[in-house]
Amino acid sequence: MTSIDDVMIEITPQVLLKAYACGIFPMAESAEDNALYWIEPERRGILPLERVHVPRRLARTIRQGGFEVRVDNDFHDVIDGCAAPRTGRRSTWINGRIRGLYADLFALGHCHTVEVWDGDELIGGLYGVHLGRAFFGESMFSRARDASKIALIYLVARLKFGGFELLDTQFLTGHLARFGAIEVGRAEFQRLLETALYCPGNGNGNVAGGGAGLGRGFLGAGAGLGAGAGSGAGAASAAGASGAGAGAASAAGASGAGAGAAAGASAAGASPAGAAAFWSLPAGATGSFVLQLVSQTSKTGCSTA
């Protein structure tokens, strides 16, 4: 892991998005440590959208309902839930700088939450970032049985309905493997990422999805990395407390194919043709409709939403 603490340029949402378009993402050692580290795993977790497995008991729970799924309703409570200690994990990689950066992305429309509510109580959810036809999951949590799993299935349905191609889970966990998540090598992930960010049918080759690049992977409920986030295989470079990861895109230049995708990224706030549509799934979609979407195996290709 190469330190870039001596490069004194602040990590901004725009730098962060360009880094994700190159296939790298930031993590912290712990909530108490203000440093961030750029990570590029040698083996990347993804959940192939065309072959997601829904366990029977979970499918029954989703059909029965008794909960409400909301989108982008309470970002701060979701990230609080993701950062909270839980069984098997006393610490979290979500520090103050992570909270601030993703709050900025949320305000810009690049970060989304899928939330499961029981009346007025948030019982589970997840958050992640959207660029083009890729969604980079960040973290998920449960305060009630199956709540994070419900959020995951509703996320998959939303991605399939909106024309997404790639769901990046960052690392593979046993929890996610039960839903069909797999590992791919770095080169294969870069190929998938470039395909999802580049839509040749739109005539301009732009990365889409409301902004300049997107975001990061997603830890299965109960699976956290603990305090060792920065030491994982494939760590690309470090951004210390003072520097915050200047030039993330150039630091990620070693990522190969993804760098080309980053170069085509639009300015933050742009929304070129070819973007997948995160908001297209109707609010209040029934559990049966969601399960039907998830079970479909065909891909939608380039969306003009």
Side-chain angles (χ1 to χ4, degrees), residues 61-161:
T61 298
I62 290 173
R63 287 193 188 94
Q64 290 172 346
F67 54 85
E68 180 185 359
V69 176
R70 304 175 191 172
V71 174
D72 292 354
N73 178 75
D74 194 340
F75 169 80
H76 293 289
D77 202 1
V78 170
I79 203 165
D80 283 347
C82 291
R86 53 183 179 247
T87 303
R89 193 193 76 178
R90 293 183 297 173
S91 61
T92 175
W93 48 266
I94 300 175
N95 65 7
R97 290 174 67 198
I98 292 287
R99 287 174 178 268
L101 281 167
Y102 287 92
D104 289 344
L105 290 182
F106 183 78
L108 290 170
H110 292 289
C111 184
H112 297 291
T113 63
V114 178
E115 310 158 12
V116 182
W117 291 78
D118 182 0
D120 294 330
E121 181 184 4
L122 177 64
I123 60 173
L126 58 86
Y127 75 101
V129 193
H130 165 200
L131 175 67
R133 292 172 293 135
F135 189 89
F136 301 75
E138 286 293 330
S139 188
M140 58 199 303
F141 76 100
S142 282
R143 294 171 179 159
R145 183 173 182 175
D146 290 340
S148 66
K149 299 174 184 178
I150 292 169
L152 175 60
I153 297 306
Y154 271 74
L155 171 67
V156 170
R158 184 168 292 275
L159 298 184
K160 295 186 75 167
F161 193 84

Side-chain angles (χ1 to χ4, degrees), residues 15 22 46 72 84 118 120 141 149 163 167 169 177 209 224 234 249 277 285-286 305:
V15 168
C22 293
I46 64 169
D72 292 354
D118 182 0
D120 294 330
F141 76 100
K149 299 174 184 178
L167 173 51
T169 68
T286 66

Side-chain angles (χ1 to χ4, degrees), residues 3-305:
S3 173
I4 56 172
D5 289 355
D6 56 333
V7 185
M8 302 292 288
I9 300 177
E10 180 186 3
I11 291 183
T12 65
Q14 291 74 24
V15 168
L16 190 60
L17 294 173
K18 289 177 181 179
Y20 293 143
C22 293
I24 67 175
F25 53 86
M27 295 190 77
E29 289 283 356
S30 70
E32 293 74 30
D33 185 350
N34 201 42
L36 297 181
Y37 299 91
W38 293 117
I39 309 295
E40 186 184 26
E42 293 180 4
R43 302 287 296 173
R44 193 72 165 242
I46 64 169
L47 181 53
L49 293 171
E50 70 276 13
R51 55 175 189 267
V52 175
H53 170 69
V54 185
R56 288 184 181 179
R57 185 182 61 78
L58 179 60
R60 184 167 60 249
T61 298
I62 290 173
R63 287 193 188 94
Q64 290 172 346
F67 54 85
E68 180 185 359
V69 176
R70 304 175 191 172
V71 174
D72 292 354
N73 178 75
D74 194 340
F75 169 80
H76 293 289
D77 202 1
V78 170
I79 203 165
D80 283 347
C82 291
R86 53 183 179 247
T87 303
R89 193 193 76 178
R90 293 183 297 173
S91 61
T92 175
W93 48 266
I94 300 175
N95 65 7
R97 290 174 67 198
I98 292 287
R99 287 174 178 268
L101 281 167
Y102 287 92
D104 289 344
L105 290 182
F106 183 78
L108 290 170
H110 292 289
C111 184
H112 297 291
T113 63
V114 178
E115 310 158 12
V116 182
W117 291 78
D118 182 0
D120 294 330
E121 181 184 4
L122 177 64
I123 60 173
L126 58 86
Y127 75 101
V129 193
H130 165 200
L131 175 67
R133 292 172 293 135
F135 189 89
F136 301 75
E138 286 293 330
S139 188
M140 58 199 303
F141 76 100
S142 282
R143 294 171 179 159
R145 183 173 182 175
D146 290 340
S148 66
K149 299 174 184 178
I150 292 169
L152 175 60
I153 297 306
Y154 271 74
L155 171 67
V156 170
R158 184 168 292 275
L159 298 184
K160 295 186 75 167
F161 193 84
F164 285 75
E165 293 280 332
L166 176 64
L167 173 51
D168 171 32
T169 68
Q170 181 179 318
F171 299 104
L172 179 64
T173 68
H175 173 78
L176 290 171
R178 289 192 287 271
F179 293 91
I182 61 173
E183 278 188 331
V184 295
R186 185 180 296 167
E188 175 64 7
F189 178 77
Q190 291 291 348
R191 185 189 69 79
L192 294 170
L193 177 59
E194 187 167 272
T195 298
L197 296 184
Y198 180 78
C199 191
N202 68 19
N204 59 21
N206 277 345
V207 174
L214 180 75
R216 190 187 127 184
F218 164 140
L219 305 175
L225 288 180
S231 60
S237 57
S242 60
S250 59
S255 299
S266 60
S271 187
F278 190 82
W279 274 97
S280 60
L281 183 66
T286 66
S288 294
F289 179 60
V290 165
L291 292 169
Q292 182 180 1
L293 280 173
V294 172
S295 69
Q296 291 176 353
T297 57
S298 60
K299 290 190 175 183
T300 58
C302 289
S303 168
T304 58

